[in-house]
């Protein structure tokens, strides 16, 4: 029985509100800053009310700000980030779901050892193994290429673990029924496991898309060709000004636009995201 305690309810909502304000205030500041001119942001304290340069600033970031800083067009960098995020998302899910399928449904020597070797890589993110990874990519001639940007980031122990845990909850009767009907392993995978994994795939799509979208360190190392610059690299270079004043209003306009794709992904896929992380019975 759940007790009704008004004070605890109030306290819970107060903590939630405080957490929301802490997270939302920097976003609000970025949006407000993107509506003012450079002189207002540089010459006085940060205003907290919208300005009158909203359309001008966003038109500038979409047409000329990147070129002024020696960068490709902002839209080109956004397309590069989108391609990188989509390739990483699709690649991680494809490899992870197939590897989990093999570990759960196929009997081969050292099957569990293979899974634990994959799982241990959770303790070795890209930042830890970045030097040997870069050496391999360079030796294979994959610098300044889409393969170099995406392939080293595709493997995912987390997604493999989540799919494995889900596949282990699928009743064995489904596999036996598929065998009786004459279905082979891939038909069982395609017609039964994939539809059942829809919510898990949806949840992972949100997480992995954001992971790919915000990548900065790896693209900075393997990319020197401006044609492969991503938004994160472009934003960094926009605030690296040798002589002159940083146009913070333009930088903030670019930051706000860069936040939109992850926000839209979360909004449109939030139902699958929540179900994929909370449901135990599929």
């Amino acid at each position: 029985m759940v007790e009704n305690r008004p004070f605890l309810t109030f306290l819970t909502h107060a903590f939630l509100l405080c957490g929301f304000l802490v997270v939302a205030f920097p976003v609000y500041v970025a949006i407000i800053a993107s509506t003012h001119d450079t002189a207002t942001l540089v010459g006085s304290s940060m205003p907290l009310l919208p300005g009158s340069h909203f359309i001008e600033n966003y038109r500038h970031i979409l047409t000329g700000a990147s070129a002024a800083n020696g960068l490709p067009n902002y839209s080109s960098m956004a397309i590069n980030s989108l391609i990188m995020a989509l390739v990483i998302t699709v690649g991680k899910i494809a490899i992870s779901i197939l590897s989990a399928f093999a570990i759960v449904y196929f009997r081969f020597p050292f099957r569990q050892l293979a899974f634990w070797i994959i799982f241990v890589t959770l303790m070795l993110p890209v930042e830890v193994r970045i030097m040997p990874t870069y050496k391999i990519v360079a030796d294979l001639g994959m610098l300044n290429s889409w393969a170099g940007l995406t392939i080293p980031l595709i493997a995912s122990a987390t997604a493999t673990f989540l799919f494995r845990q889900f596949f282990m909850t699928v009743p064995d009767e489904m596999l036996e029924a598929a065998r009786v009907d004459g279905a082979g392993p891939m038909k069982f995978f395609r017609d039964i496991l994939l539809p059942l994994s829809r919510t898990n795939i949806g949840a992972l799509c949100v997480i992995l898309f954001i992971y790919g979208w915000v990548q900065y360190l790896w693209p900075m190392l393997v990319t020197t060709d401006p044609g492969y610059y991503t938004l994160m690299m472009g934003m960094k270079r926009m605030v690296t000004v040798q002589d002159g004043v940083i146009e913070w209003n333009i930088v903030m306009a670019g930051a706000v636009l860069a936040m939109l794709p992850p926000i839209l992904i979360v909004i449109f896929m939030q139902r699958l995201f929540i179900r994929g992380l909370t449901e135990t019975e599929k």
Side-chain angles (χ1 to χ4, degrees):
M1 179 177 179
V2 179
E3 297 183 11
N4 183 16
R5 297 184 178 182
F7 175 73
L8 291 180
T9 301
F10 168 78
L11 194 62
T12 301
H13 284 81
F15 275 115
L16 287 174
L17 180 60
C18 290
F20 171 77
L21 292 177
V22 169
V23 173
F25 185 70
V27 178
Y28 173 78
V29 170
I31 295 173
I32 294 301
S34 69
T35 64
H36 290 273
D37 57 359
T38 304
T40 302
L41 299 180
V42 174
S44 62
S45 59
M46 177 65 205
L48 295 179
L49 295 177
S52 58
H53 293 77
F54 176 85
I55 297 178
E56 175 186 343
N57 291 339
Y58 283 89
R59 182 187 297 119
H60 185 48
I61 186 65
L62 291 174
T63 56
S66 300
N69 290 273
L71 298 173
N73 182 271
Y74 186 90
S75 300
S76 299
M77 292 189 294
I79 292 174
N80 291 343
S81 291
L82 181 62
I83 293 174
M84 183 177 177
L86 290 176
V87 171
I88 290 175
T89 301
V90 174
K92 278 180 175 287
I93 291 177
I95 292 177
S96 299
I97 197 169
L98 288 173
S99 60
F101 174 62
I103 290 171
V104 173
Y105 290 100
F106 288 85
R107 301 294 182 263
F108 55 89
F110 307 111
R111 181 168 58 100
Q112 290 301 320
L113 178 61
F115 167 72
W116 286 110
I117 290 175
I118 295 172
F119 189 73
V120 165
T121 60
L122 281 173
M123 296 180 285
L124 298 172
V126 174
E127 291 77 11
V128 174
R129 50 185 169 82
I130 198 160
M131 292 307 296
T133 304
Y134 177 83
K135 179 69 166 57
I136 293 172
V137 170
D139 290 345
L140 293 176
M142 293 165 56
L143 298 178
N144 290 316
S145 68
W146 289 115
L149 277 172
T150 56
I151 290 178
L153 303 178
I154 279 181
S156 175
T158 304
T160 302
F161 174 75
L162 291 177
F163 281 124
R164 172 186 177 268
Q165 296 305 108
F166 167 65
F167 289 163
M168 292 178 67
T169 65
V170 176
D172 294 336
E173 289 78 5
M174 286 191 175
L175 177 59
E176 295 300 327
R179 286 175 176 171
V180 170
D181 289 340
M186 295 312 298
K187 184 173 179 58
F188 170 71
F189 173 76
R190 183 182 66 250
D191 295 343
I192 296 179
L193 289 184
L194 275 183
L196 290 176
S197 304
R198 187 170 62 95
T199 54
N200 300 76
I201 293 174
L204 285 170
C205 278
V206 175
I207 297 171
L208 298 179
F209 179 88
I210 296 175
Y211 169 83
W213 182 264
V214 301
Q215 282 297 314
Y216 169 70
L217 179 59
W218 181 250
M220 183 182 67
L221 287 177
V222 301
T223 300
T224 56
D225 183 352
Y228 291 100
Y229 281 2
T230 63
L231 273 185
M232 302 304 112
M233 299 171 64
M235 297 300 298
K236 172 61 173 64
R237 283 165 172 76
M238 287 177 65
V239 299
T240 306
V241 178
Q242 297 296 333
D243 299 310
V245 178
I246 300 175
E247 296 180 299
W248 285 110
N249 54 327
I250 306 302
V251 173
M252 291 303 163
V256 171
L257 291 176
M259 287 188 289
L260 289 180
I263 290 174
L264 292 175
I265 287 290
V266 172
I267 290 175
F268 287 113
M269 299 191 68
Q270 62 177 327
R271 183 171 299 178
L272 284 176
F273 177 71
I274 294 172
R275 288 175 57 190
L277 294 181
T278 59
E279 283 189 358
T280 58
E281 299 283 337
K282 307 296 179 184

